[in-house]
Amino acid sequence: MVRCLAFLISLAAATNLYATHYNGNIYTLSLDGKNSLSISSSLKTCGDAPSWLTFDSSARTLYCSDHSGNGTKNGSLSSYSVNRDGKLTELAKTVDVGSAVHSTIYGGKHGREKYLAIAHYGGSALSTFALPLSSDKEALQVFRYQMSQPGIKPQQDAPHPHQVILDPTGDFLLVPDLGADQVRVYAIDQHSGRLNVCPSLNYTAGSGPRHGLFWKSNSLDSAQTPVTMLYTVSELGGHFNALLVSYLSSGCLGFRETQSFVPYPGGQLPTGAVPAELAMAGTSLYVSIRFDQGFPPNDSVSTLARSSNGTVTFNEITSSYGAIPRTFSINKKGTLVAIGDQASSNVAIVIRDPQSGNLGNLVANLEVGQPGQASNSSTGLSSIIWGE
Ligand SMILES: *[C@@H]1O[C@H](CO)[C@@H](O)[C@H](O)[C@H]1NC(C)=O
Ligand SMILES: *[C@@H]1O[C@H](CO)[C@@H](O)[C@H](O)[C@H]1NC(C)=O
Ligand SMILES: *[C@@H]1O[C@H](CO)[C@@H](O)[C@H](O)[C@H]1NC(C)=O
Ligand SMILES: *[C@@H]1O[C@H](CO)[C@@H](O)[C@H](O)[C@H]1NC(C)=O
Ligand SMILES: *[C@@H]1O[C@H](CO)[C@@H](O)[C@H](O)[C@H]1NC(C)=O
Ligand SMILES: *[C@@H]1O[C@H](CO)[C@@H](O)[C@H](O)[C@H]1NC(C)=O
């Protein structure tokens, strides 16, 4: 009886994580208790190059984007049901623009339909689909981007949308475009899920905005004027930017930059080092830094502190516990961070102090699939999320 109870408790305590690898698999990882991380299942799926997962926890549905293809050669988009032990069953697979790297769910207001928006890096496009996905369903909209001339950095040969961000009102989608030095802005028509083009937020040439997120101050805090901020990291220029967001009567967004700095000790990145992922929990922001070798043979995660008025200051760097931390994800409780290191192809679970926001020791570490090559961004572990 006691053993049986202990077994049930340990089952309840297991948390699932999902990782994509460019070897063509989605892995389900299980974190038992505090520090035992293992692969509980894997599925060969999601085209040739699974790159990103978005989890709809209320529907227990996972969406996988496929990095294969480009602007002319299509890729795929797949959905999966997730059972209690984290096993995946493919629900649908359809054709999408190629070279997808990120997706976000939007819509669903007042019981309306939900939609998925997908950023296509090499496909130079944004596509949207009505949910639930079904096999052979066609995109609701596809926006294909062009540039009259290449940008100033070698990576800026074409537009390269890298992410889709939903604003706190749920009425706008933002798409950082690393190639075009802008964050594209769309107003959502909640009745049809269709997107209307708004003026872009423009960056200095060569910035290469990659990822971003919104923060809205608590309107109950009467000491402060309520603010909505957009924070972004730029891969090519290496900057963290803070922008004050305003909701304009035109139905679009206005932005005013309040801060721009390099989130690294001394305000300068080592040669070749580039920011990648950005996340927030409590009053802290985190930026993964690839290729800095801050903790050899590992790279770094940079921790920033946000004050109640939205101003952000650099705090410290800590080890990413692997090479090339392309993505990382914070659990709901804010007590653990899962870092997906691409080249070393490991998932490192690091303690986070929910009070201070500081990252602490490595508590679990697991190699997932074969290591990638630092020189080839189409190899290794591509993403990690918590299945919460
Ligand atoms: C797209 O991919 C196809 C197949 O790999 C290739 O033949 C084609 O040259 C690529 N197009 C571009 C614009 O890179
Ligand atoms: C890509 O997919 C779209 C939509 O399904 C289709 O119209 C188009 O013909 C496809 N392109 C290629 C090259 O297969
Ligand atoms: C950004 O630049 C584009 C032209 O490239 C322009 O249409 C747009 O209005 C600009 N955005 C803002 C907010 O000024
Ligand atoms: C915001 O808060 C920080 C830290 O409390 C303070 O140093 C800064 O002056 C404030 N900025 C503004 C614009 O009020
Ligand atoms: C680098 O990461 C590995 C885990 O991948 C860890 O065992 C090692 O202690 C780390 N070293 C440093 C200096 O961070
Ligand atoms: C990078 O890796 C991919 C996937 O294994 C492979 O298809 C491609 O040829 C490699 N590129 C280079 C330049 O080695």
Side-chain angles (χ1 to χ4, degrees):
M1 183 62 195
V2 169
R3 273 186 63 185
C4 175
L5 198 60
F7 175 70
L8 285 176
I9 288 167
S10 76
L11 262 190
T15 307
N16 293 318
L17 296 100
Y18 302 96
T20 53
H21 194 292
Y22 281 138
N23 67 8
N25 284 281
I26 303 179
Y27 293 91
T28 301
L29 312 182
S30 170
L31 182 64
D32 272 295
K34 252 199 158 62
N35 52 14
S36 164
L37 186 63
S38 59
I39 294 175
S40 53
S41 58
S42 68
L43 190 64
K44 183 116 180 81
T45 184
C46 189
D48 292 334
S51 62
W52 187 267
L53 297 169
T54 293
F55 186 46
D56 182 347
S57 61
S58 59
R60 292 197 67 74
T61 303
L62 196 63
Y63 297 94
C64 184
S65 303
D66 173 11
H67 204 151
S68 61
N70 54 31
T72 46
K73 189 176 183 296
N74 285 324
S76 65
L77 173 66
S78 315
S79 65
Y80 308 85
S81 67
V82 177
N83 79 5
R84 285 203 58 84
D85 64 11
K87 232 175 159 183
L88 307 182
T89 307
E90 189 176 296
L91 293 172
K93 180 179 184 179
T94 191
V95 173
D96 193 7
V97 180
S99 191
V101 290
H102 189 271
S103 71
T104 293
I105 295 167
Y106 67 96
K109 274 192 169 182
H110 314 298
R112 292 203 182 96
E113 254 183 314
K114 287 185 191 175
Y115 304 86
L116 190 72
I118 304 106
H120 301 270
Y121 184 93
S124 299
L126 175 74
S127 62
T128 63
F129 284 83
L131 301 180
L133 200 66
S134 55
S135 290
D136 305 320
K137 185 175 235 178
E138 285 190 14
L140 175 66
Q141 280 181 299
V142 177
F143 295 89
R144 291 186 186 273
Y145 305 135
Q146 275 174 349
M147 274 162 30
S148 50
Q149 59 188 57
I152 63 171
K153 298 275 173 73
Q155 297 90 331
Q156 298 182 307
D157 57 325
H160 291 308
H162 218 307
Q163 190 197 15
V164 188
I165 312 162
L166 185 65
D167 88 311
T169 66
D171 288 331
F172 294 90
L173 285 180
L174 271 61
V175 181
D177 185 332
L178 182 146
D181 287 323
Q182 52 179 270
V183 172
R184 299 177 188 273
V185 181
Y186 296 91
I188 299 167
D189 176 344
Q190 299 291 351
H191 292 276
S192 64
R194 294 179 74 86
L195 305 179
N196 298 309
V197 180
C198 280
S200 297
L201 161 64
N202 299 318
Y203 282 66
T204 312
S207 298
R210 184 185 198 276
H211 275 202
L213 57 85
F214 280 90
W215 172 71
K216 189 173 181 280
S217 67
N218 188 346
S219 55
L220 299 176
D221 182 357
S222 55
Q224 304 273 352
T225 320
V227 291
T228 300
M229 303 293 300
L230 172 69
Y231 300 116
T232 65
V233 287
S234 290
E235 176 170 333
L236 307 179
H239 280 72
F240 170 89
N241 290 88
L243 303 113
L244 188 60
V245 180
S246 49
Y247 290 80
L248 307 175
S249 55
S250 64
C252 287
L253 299 179
F255 302 93
R256 183 168 67 78
E257 184 180 290
T258 55
Q259 286 185 284
S260 176
F261 64 89
V262 174
Y264 205 78
Q268 202 181 345
L269 286 163
T271 307
V274 290
E277 187 65 282
L278 175 68
M280 178 174 63
T283 58
S284 298
L285 287 140
Y286 304 89
V287 183
S288 65
I289 310 287
R290 299 183 289 187
F291 301 102
D292 75 319
Q293 286 290 294
F295 301 86
N298 304 324
D299 291 324
S300 309
V301 175
S302 175
T303 300
L304 316 177
R306 176 189 51 72
S307 76
S308 58
N309 65 19
T311 304
V312 173
T313 48
F314 171 74
N315 180 5
E316 62 173 1
I317 55 167
T318 52
S319 179
S320 65
Y321 294 102
I324 314 192
R326 179 183 170 121
T327 73
F328 64 91
S329 172
I330 304 164
N331 71 349
K332 270 206 181 123
K333 275 193 199 157
T335 53
L336 297 171
V337 181
I339 304 171
D341 292 294
Q342 185 174 0
S344 45
S345 205
N346 66 304
V347 173
I349 309 286
V350 173
I351 291 217
R352 175 180 181 273
D353 178 340
Q355 257 68 53
S356 68
N358 290 341
L359 303 187
N361 291 338
L362 180 68
V363 292
N365 184 35
L366 180 69
E367 192 173 308
V368 178
Q370 44 289 91
Q373 297 154 260
S375 59
N376 186 340
S377 64
S378 306
T379 62
L381 189 93
S382 48
S383 74
I384 180 74
I385 58 165
W386 294 90
E388 297 182 311

